[in-house]
Amino acid sequence: CECFQVQRVESFPDLLRSSVHPEDLPIYQEAMRHAIKEHVAYFAVYRLIVNGCEYWTEDHGDVIYDERGQPLKVIGTAQNVTTRKLAEEAYKRLNSELEQRVQERTAQLVYANSAKDSFLATMSHEIRTPLSGMMGMLELLGLTHLDSDQRATLQVAGQSGQSLLRIVDDILDLSKIEAGKLQLAPRPSSL
């Protein structure tokens, strides 16, 4: 379709009505009614159908009245704003698509975070059980007769096991906090 340019319009408003897109006719009519009734400048953005092609137009104008105060014509400009409107529509469409993608990605991240929490809690429990067994065996081994080197090695193994057990307990506590299931047990303590 061949574009129309900004042009000076001098016509009675009803003559333009035949080119207004049927869906936008109420916009055109309300803008014209308002301008005539309130004696203010005419302004409207709507679609026109010219030579079978659809264009967006932005109209600015003044209603000219005859000596009896009846509307005679509108003098103003009609500017082709099709490119701008298409860009606005593309922007809205893209914005909507991006919002949808953000919502989908957020849902994926929430699911992944939940899966991570579940994995950590399960693995912590699975590690804690054999670790507790190992700590018990180290304690029993400490009750036997050992030379000084063996006792030093056992002590390092016990300290390492205790450190690992504290890490697993912290992970379990973190999992409980994130799941909202951590229960505090306040106790009096001496400062």
Side-chain angles (χ1 to χ4, degrees):
C1 289
E2 188 176 310
C3 285
F4 69 91
Q5 299 300 316
V6 174
Q7 56 189 354
R8 185 175 172 86
V9 178
E10 289 189 35
S11 66
F12 189 75
D14 290 337
L15 295 177
L16 289 175
R17 192 180 317 188
S18 63
S19 297
V20 177
H21 191 287
E23 292 176 11
D24 293 350
L25 193 55
I27 296 169
Y28 168 80
Q29 289 171 330
E30 176 57 26
M32 190 58 66
R33 184 201 62 75
H34 178 72
I36 291 170
K37 181 181 177 192
E38 303 295 328
H39 293 273
V40 293
Y42 166 77
F43 173 79
V45 179
Y46 55 90
R47 290 171 291 175
L48 286 176
I49 299 178
V50 179
N51 298 327
C53 297
E54 185 177 294
Y55 298 96
W56 280 94
T57 182
E58 182 175 287
D59 293 355
H60 300 267
D62 292 307
V63 179
I64 305 301
Y65 300 89
D66 64 16
E67 58 278 348
R68 294 173 302 181
Q70 295 299 310
L72 182 64
K73 60 184 172 181
V74 174
I75 297 177
T77 60
Q79 182 178 5
N80 181 351
V81 292
T82 303
T83 303
R84 183 186 81 199
K85 290 300 279 184
L86 292 176
E88 287 172 2
E89 289 173 5
Y91 170 77
K92 287 177 186 175
R93 213 172 26 255
L94 179 62
N95 193 37
S96 177
E97 290 171 8
L98 288 175
E99 286 177 359
Q100 178 65 31
R101 288 173 60 191
V102 165
Q103 289 174 354
E104 290 170 0
R105 186 66 179 135
T106 300
Q108 290 173 348
L109 291 173
V110 167
Y111 176 77
N113 194 43
S114 175
K116 175 207 54 127
D117 292 344
S118 176
F119 173 77
L120 280 177
T122 301
M123 288 309 297
S124 296
H125 282 291
E126 294 298 321
I127 293 171
R128 194 171 202 278
T129 302
L131 186 57
S132 295
M134 185 183 75
M135 294 300 294
M137 295 312 267
L138 288 175
E139 191 175 322
L140 288 176
L141 185 59
L143 297 176
T144 63
H145 176 71
L146 301 171
D147 65 32
S148 63
D149 287 341
Q150 291 173 329
R151 190 152 306 279
T153 302
L154 182 63
Q155 187 176 11
V156 170
Q159 290 171 347
S160 297
Q162 287 297 330
S163 295
L164 189 55
L165 197 53
R166 276 193 300 277
I167 291 171
V168 170
D169 286 342
D170 288 346
I171 292 172
L172 282 172
D173 287 345
L174 182 62
S175 296
K176 287 178 186 176
I177 289 170
E178 288 183 351
K181 295 181 180 178
L182 182 70
Q183 293 180 352
L184 299 178
R187 294 187 193 120
S189 59
S190 172
L191 297 178

